[in-house]
């Protein structure tokens, strides 16, 4: 079963059109146990869209978010803000769309941020959205059903690390809840 966890770092909490610093997408099986790094079975897609290009496209930057980034640890700040490895913004969206074509569910930490931002950007630049509305899953809801999703505490504000932490939290929560499968289609 291929599900997708998405995490991003941005320069705004505006979900309409923020500047996106990094995008991580990890394909995973929500019913596996990927706590052991040596035996993990995940596929990772990660890109750093061109910030200058997004500024020219007049994507949103929020002063409070920029100030917040200034208070983060230097390693996270460099990964999110550094110029190395930047790629054309629309190309990133198109590559992500193609890479996600075979997923059964898409997750993010909350249903109203990362996925909404990506969908808005894909619509704006005529990129195919590779999931249906009924495939969207929310980590916060499932974590509220268990006492402790047992997520690692490291990696904050690094999209790849955060996405992997969220996957482990989902897998641990499903195990605790005894959930072994999801319906493949909406129930209504």
């Amino acid at each position: 079963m291929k599900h997708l966890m998405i995490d991003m770092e941005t320069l705004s909490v505006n979900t309409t059109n923020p500047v996106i610093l990094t995008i991580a997408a990890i394909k995973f099986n929500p019913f596996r146990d990927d706590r052991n790094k040596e035996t993990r079975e995940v596929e990772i897609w990660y890109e750093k869209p061109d910030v200058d290009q997004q500024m020219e496209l007049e994507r949103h930057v929020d002063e409070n978010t920029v100030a917040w980034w200034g208070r983060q640890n230097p390693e996270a700040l460099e990964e999110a803000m550094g110029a190395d490895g930047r790629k054309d913004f629309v190309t990133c969206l198109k590559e992500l769309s193609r890479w996600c074509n075979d997923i059964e569910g898409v997750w993010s930490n909350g249903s109203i941020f990362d996925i909404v931002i990506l969908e808005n950007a894909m619509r704006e630049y005529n990129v195919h959205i590779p999931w249906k509305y009924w495939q969207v899953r929310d980590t916060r809801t499932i974590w509220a059903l268990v006492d402790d999703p047992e997520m690692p505490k490291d990696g904050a504000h690094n999209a790849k690390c955060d996405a992997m932490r969220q996957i482990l939290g989902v897998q641990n929560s499903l195990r605790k809840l005894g959930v072994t499968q999801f319906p493949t289609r909406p129930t209504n």
Side-chain angles (χ1 to χ4, degrees):
M1 173 169 285
K2 284 191 182 175
H3 280 230
L4 181 72
M5 182 66 71
I6 292 179
D7 194 81
M8 297 188 307
E9 302 303 337
T10 66
L11 282 181
S12 174
V13 294
N14 171 329
T15 57
T16 304
N17 67 339
V19 168
I20 299 171
L21 299 170
T22 60
I23 307 169
I26 303 179
K27 290 179 183 176
F28 72 105
N29 181 335
F31 305 110
R32 275 189 50 82
D33 182 349
D34 285 313
R35 287 178 285 187
N36 183 339
K37 290 180 183 181
E38 315 315 308
T39 60
R40 279 187 185 154
E41 291 185 19
V42 298
E43 297 173 50
I44 300 172
W45 182 93
Y46 179 75
E47 289 295 344
K48 296 171 68 171
D50 187 308
V51 172
D52 293 334
Q53 178 190 23
Q54 292 180 74
M55 298 293 280
E56 290 171 11
L57 294 169
E58 299 183 1
R59 295 188 62 80
H60 191 259
V61 175
D62 175 68
E63 291 177 24
N64 291 327
T65 304
V66 173
W68 176 87
W69 271 111
R71 296 187 299 273
Q72 301 313 302
N73 75 54
E75 196 174 279
L77 183 62
E78 177 57 31
E79 178 59 26
M81 302 285 228
D84 291 345
R86 295 284 168 192
K87 190 174 200 174
D88 178 79
F89 179 58
V90 177
T91 299
C92 287
L93 296 175
K94 288 177 180 178
E95 287 177 1
L96 178 60
S97 176
R98 283 190 299 272
W99 190 78
C100 295
N101 68 354
D102 61 345
I103 60 163
E104 297 174 28
V106 59
W107 295 78
S108 68
N109 193 17
S111 60
I112 61 169
F113 192 72
D114 303 87
I115 292 173
V116 171
I117 291 169
L118 280 175
E119 287 182 357
N120 286 340
M122 288 174 168
R123 278 187 201 95
E124 185 174 356
Y125 299 104
N126 296 314
V127 176
H128 170 70
I129 297 171
W131 53 79
K132 305 293 184 208
Y133 72 92
W134 49 266
Q135 291 177 298
V136 174
R137 309 281 194 264
D138 173 15
T139 60
R140 290 182 183 142
T141 301
I142 194 168
W143 295 338
L145 299 174
V146 297
D147 287 334
D148 178 9
E150 299 177 31
M151 294 173 20
K153 305 296 184 215
D154 60 334
H157 314 306
N158 174 303
K160 272 191 287 194
C161 293
D162 288 350
M164 194 64 227
R165 285 176 57 250
Q166 291 158 198
I167 286 168
L168 297 175
V170 166
Q171 290 174 334
N172 292 338
S173 297
L174 290 173
R175 252 191 323 283
K176 286 181 173 191
L177 293 168
V179 176
T180 59
Q181 67 180 14
F182 293 123
T184 56
R185 295 271 183 210
T187 55
N188 324 25

